[in-house]
Amino acid sequence: MTTTVASVTEGTDAPYALSHLDALESEAVHIFREVAGEFERPVILFSGGKDSIVMLHLALKAFAPAPVPFTLLHVDTGHNFPEVLDYRDRTVARHGLRLHVASVQEYIDAGKLRERPDGTRNPLQTVPLTERIQAERFDAVFGGGRRDEEKARAKERVFSLRDEFSQWDPRRQRPELWNLYNGRHAAGEHVRVFPLSNWTELDVWQYIAREGIELPEIYFAHEREVFARAGMWLTAGDWGGPKEHEHVETRLVRYRTVGDMSCTGAVDSDATTLDAVIAEIAASRLTERGATRADDKMSEAAMEDRKREGYF
Amino acid sequence: MTSTTEPYAEFAERLATTTLLRFATAGSVDDGKSTLVGRLLHDSKSVLTDQLEAVERVSLSRGQDTPDLALLTDGLRAEREQGITIDVAYRYFATPRRRFILADTPGHVQYTRNMVTGASTAELAVVLVDARNGVVEQTRRHAAVAALLRVPHVVLAVNKMDLVGYAEPVFTAIAEEFTAYAASLGVPEITAIPISALAGDNVVEPSAHMDWYDGLTVLEHLETVPASHDLAHCPARFPVQYVIRPQSASHPDYRGYAGQISSGVLRVGEAVTVLPSGRTSVIEGIDALGESVDIAWAPQSVTLRLADDVDVSRGDLIAPSGQLPPSTQDVEATVCHVADRPLTVGQRVLLKHTTRTVKAIVKDIPSRLTLDDLSQHPAPGQLVANDIGRVRIRTAEPLALDPYAESRRTGSFLLIDPADGTTLSAGMAGDAFAEGAGAAAVPADEEGWDF
């Protein structure tokens, strides 16, 4: 039973419709330009992972033919994949960008952070990140977080105000209406900005394929020495694995996410091309984080708790 | 979700032509909203194994025998502790035909601001009613918010049909009552669907229990309803976000105005006027994210180049010279107050309209609206959280403001507290409900809603 009361123009999906990728791209570009127009010292968090790579690509398109009016910031856990660091440095050089690096290892060496018994450095990123934000007086910090990743992130705003301690209070968020983003903040506060909020993992991959964006090779299937821990394939290395009872084997794997080697697992895969990766993700019955992130399994609210402290 | 056997090329082609639909759900927990959302996600295979396992694990640890699907959508500690949804959450799912962004908004009356937030970007709203209760106050509230925010399509989902014996007359009576009410508020299109979210009737799969219903299921309707239909057919509006001037060796003279077309179509060669200055020029070029094009339309993000060297900066609005929006410093609008501290007469605020933020003062709050019966209460003096009311605002500079009825983008604004940046109110310029709305359906003992 349909009642059309006034005239609704039918069939207007063509020719004035955008594909969903164009709509998401247009929205993300709008967000980048809003930040450029309203903030003094924005920075893009850049890890060399696919989400931050897509962010940088969007920023390049948003301001072309002018250069990206932002610097980059990488929080180096000290346990990053060498291929990813190499990709990071090549990208920075190619686009003439400026990169800040905040180092977890330096904090540990200086006694300001202590290694966790489980060897995971992901939660340790928060302190170097937030201290660097304060030291550089960044007022807008772009992150590649997506709301489809995790249920605490489903509650995240596109513009997310953080206090002078970089804390997130999910109960005191500004309502976000239409595409009117409110970036007002006091001195010392900053705004986390998530241009990919409305993208899903599959959107990111489709966009990478459509735009022909280069990625670090660990996203594609390759033979690698790994060992099993907590139901995941971890890369053997100086960071702390394998332990005596853990057995190293060579497997054909790839990564769905790129993070700290101590908590980012590989998945068995023979997908060596973008097309194959997209087909594999579309058929997967596991979320990206469920498949490959140990730190999200620590408690039911692990992500929410870390985000409250200043994590992305 | 696709099957693993589908050839990649076909898959990629189909994905490239899928469109995006943003919609919102409204309805209290008792109406089965969580169940409907859970079923849409589950039956469209958008809930993945590890998410279901997490829900099962937590449900078991609390002594529940069956998985509580509400845990899929309640993301925060406080929500799980209290068993309620306290804030808008966004959900994502896809079918072969379309990608969906669902604004999942809590239905309690004290969260009107959340439904307003969800509806502000929605092209469609699903209003749930319990078939046993029919149209109740809460239903009227949801219809009123959808009408106020000018959501183009409203779906009435008459739920729990299994509990009324799948009886057609029950559905028809509710559908007719709701349609008359929503139409009187100016909702342009209303689709009523009899469902059982719990049993799965007419949500994703057609019901085997209601032969008398020959319409679409909820998901089929979501897949086929026109998306963003209202944008390209309105007068063109281009709020300038940022001026791109590389001043580099390869682009010494490039000067482009970056922005997102908020409505309408722009073409190279078109005569345009820049507001508020009133200077005129011609569109010399349109750069659509790296590609030079002759034509662009909402909601594309593009960069315009003008033929003349006119002064244009962030906050200006470019529009076709023959179709300019009215310019005003006296804004008459309806606002939904979203902050915990009140909005008062005489208050100094900032007003954010498109890419322009100006100083403003609240001159008057002539009335406050009660959503239950749409009655108006004159001169309330202030608006508190979740209140909807009429305001008169004087701005320090003129705004190129369309009526919200004509453009949800250039007719909307935020009121912001200049002291700490808190978002105070969501504003919609012009009349509250569509023209001619109200007269037919206002019961005699109510004062009317064209407040």
Side-chain angles (χ1 to χ4, degrees), chain B residues 107-146:
Chain B
H108 300 278
V109 62
Q110 64 266 39
Y111 298 125
T112 299
R113 60 184 167 194
N114 286 340
M115 188 184 165
V116 168
T117 302
S120 72
T121 52
E123 282 134 356
L124 179 146
V126 178
V127 175
L128 267 159
V129 300
D130 184 328
R132 295 170 301 174
N133 304 329
V135 175
V136 294
E137 277 182 9
Q138 184 80 327
T139 320
R140 283 192 253 278
R141 251 177 239 141
H142 293 148
V145 171

Side-chain angles (χ1 to χ4, degrees), chain B residues 167-286:
Chain B
E168 182 178 13
V170 174
F171 168 73
T172 306
I174 295 170
E176 283 176 358
E177 182 182 354
F178 180 86
T179 302
Y181 182 80
S184 75
L185 297 174
V187 173
E189 190 192 78
I190 303 142
T191 303
I193 304 175
I195 68 167
S196 167
L198 195 66
D201 294 284
N202 289 336
V203 177
V204 173
E205 301 294 332
S207 171
H209 301 104
M210 291 179 275
D211 292 344
W212 47 265
Y213 176 76
D214 58 3
L216 302 177
T217 66
V218 173
L219 187 67
E220 285 167 346
H221 182 68
L222 291 172
E223 284 183 312
T224 52
V225 76
S228 52
H229 70 278
D230 56 337
L231 290 173
H233 295 269
C234 305
R237 300 287 183 255
F238 186 79
V240 176
Q241 278 190 286
Y242 191 77
V243 181
I244 294 176
R245 288 184 66 201
Q247 294 178 296
S248 58
S250 49
H251 298 280
D253 300 319
Y254 187 96
R255 187 180 173 88
Y257 306 108
Q260 186 173 25
I261 303 173
S262 59
S263 60
V265 178
L266 289 171
R267 290 177 177 83
V268 170
E270 192 161 20
V272 293
T273 300
V274 181
L275 297 174
S277 72
R279 292 182 196 280
T280 57
S281 187
V282 169
I283 297 177
E284 188 180 72
I286 303 175

Side-chain angles (χ1 to χ4, degrees), chain B residues 29-366:
Chain B
V29 174
D30 295 340
D31 292 335
K33 185 174 71 72
S34 299
T35 317
L36 175 65
V37 170
R39 187 156 287 284
L40 276 174
L41 295 174
H42 184 266
D43 289 7
S44 65
K45 299 186 173 56
S46 302
V47 180
L48 300 184
T49 311
D50 54 314
Q51 292 170 317
L52 262 188
E53 281 170 3
V55 165
E56 282 163 4
R57 198 168 56 235
V58 174
S59 302
L60 265 179
S61 73
R62 291 184 186 171
Q64 293 164 307
D65 331 328
T66 52
D68 180 0
L69 283 181
L71 290 170
L72 281 174
T73 54
D74 290 344
L76 302 175
R77 265 186 198 285
E79 292 177 318
R80 287 191 296 273
E81 283 159 12
Q82 297 171 41
I84 56 161
T85 313
I86 57 173
D87 199 355
V88 185
Y90 296 88
R91 314 277 160 213
Y92 302 84
F93 66 101
T95 68
R97 294 162 107 167
R98 200 167 250 180
R99 276 263 286 109
F100 299 97
I101 300 176
L102 161 60
D104 187 11
T105 66
H108 300 278
V109 62
Q110 64 266 39
Y111 298 125
T112 299
R113 60 184 167 194
N114 286 340
M115 188 184 165
V116 168
T117 302
S120 72
T121 52
E123 282 134 356
L124 179 146
V126 178
V127 175
L128 267 159
V129 300
D130 184 328
R132 295 170 301 174
N133 304 329
V135 175
V136 294
E137 277 182 9
Q138 184 80 327
T139 320
R140 283 192 253 278
R141 251 177 239 141
H142 293 148
V145 171
L148 197 61
L149 272 291
R150 315 268 172 179
V151 179
H153 308 277
V154 170
V155 171
L156 174 75
V158 181
N159 191 24
K160 307 195 184 182
M161 287 299 294
D162 51 320
L163 300 183
V164 295
Y166 295 107
E168 182 178 13
V170 174
F171 168 73
T172 306
I174 295 170
E176 283 176 358
E177 182 182 354
F178 180 86
T179 302
Y181 182 80
S184 75
L185 297 174
V187 173
E189 190 192 78
I190 303 142
T191 303
I193 304 175
I195 68 167
S196 167
L198 195 66
D201 294 284
N202 289 336
V203 177
V204 173
E205 301 294 332
S207 171
H209 301 104
M210 291 179 275
D211 292 344
W212 47 265
Y213 176 76
D214 58 3
L216 302 177
T217 66
V218 173
L219 187 67
E220 285 167 346
H221 182 68
L222 291 172
E223 284 183 312
T224 52
V225 76
S228 52
H229 70 278
D230 56 337
L231 290 173
H233 295 269
C234 305
R237 300 287 183 255
F238 186 79
V240 176
Q241 278 190 286
Y242 191 77
V243 181
I244 294 176
R245 288 184 66 201
Q247 294 178 296
S248 58
S250 49
H251 298 280
D253 300 319
Y254 187 96
R255 187 180 173 88
Y257 306 108
Q260 186 173 25
I261 303 173
S262 59
S263 60
V265 178
L266 289 171
R267 290 177 177 83
V268 170
E270 192 161 20
V272 293
T273 300
V274 181
L275 297 174
S277 72
R279 292 182 196 280
T280 57
S281 187
V282 169
I283 297 177
E284 188 180 72
I286 303 175
D287 297 327
L289 303 183
E291 189 187 352
S292 188
V293 295
D294 293 332
I295 180 171
W297 57 88
Q300 285 183 294
S301 281
V302 299
T303 305
L304 299 186
R305 285 175 286 114
L306 299 184
D308 304 283
D309 199 10
V310 292
D311 178 23
V312 182
S313 57
R314 176 173 169 82
D316 288 349
L317 187 104
I318 296 174
S321 294
Q323 293 179 305
L324 297 183
S327 202
T328 182
Q329 281 181 263
D330 292 292
V331 178
E332 303 247 350
T334 302
V335 300
C336 175
H337 193 63
V338 297
D340 289 330
R341 75 189 73 148
L343 184 75
T344 55
V345 174
Q347 193 169 342
R348 288 177 186 278
V349 295
L350 294 171
L351 187 153
K352 178 163 188 177
H353 169 248
T354 65
T355 56
R356 188 176 183 82
T357 303
V358 299
K359 288 181 180 175
I361 184 165
V362 180
K363 299 297 276 188
D364 193 14
I365 303 178

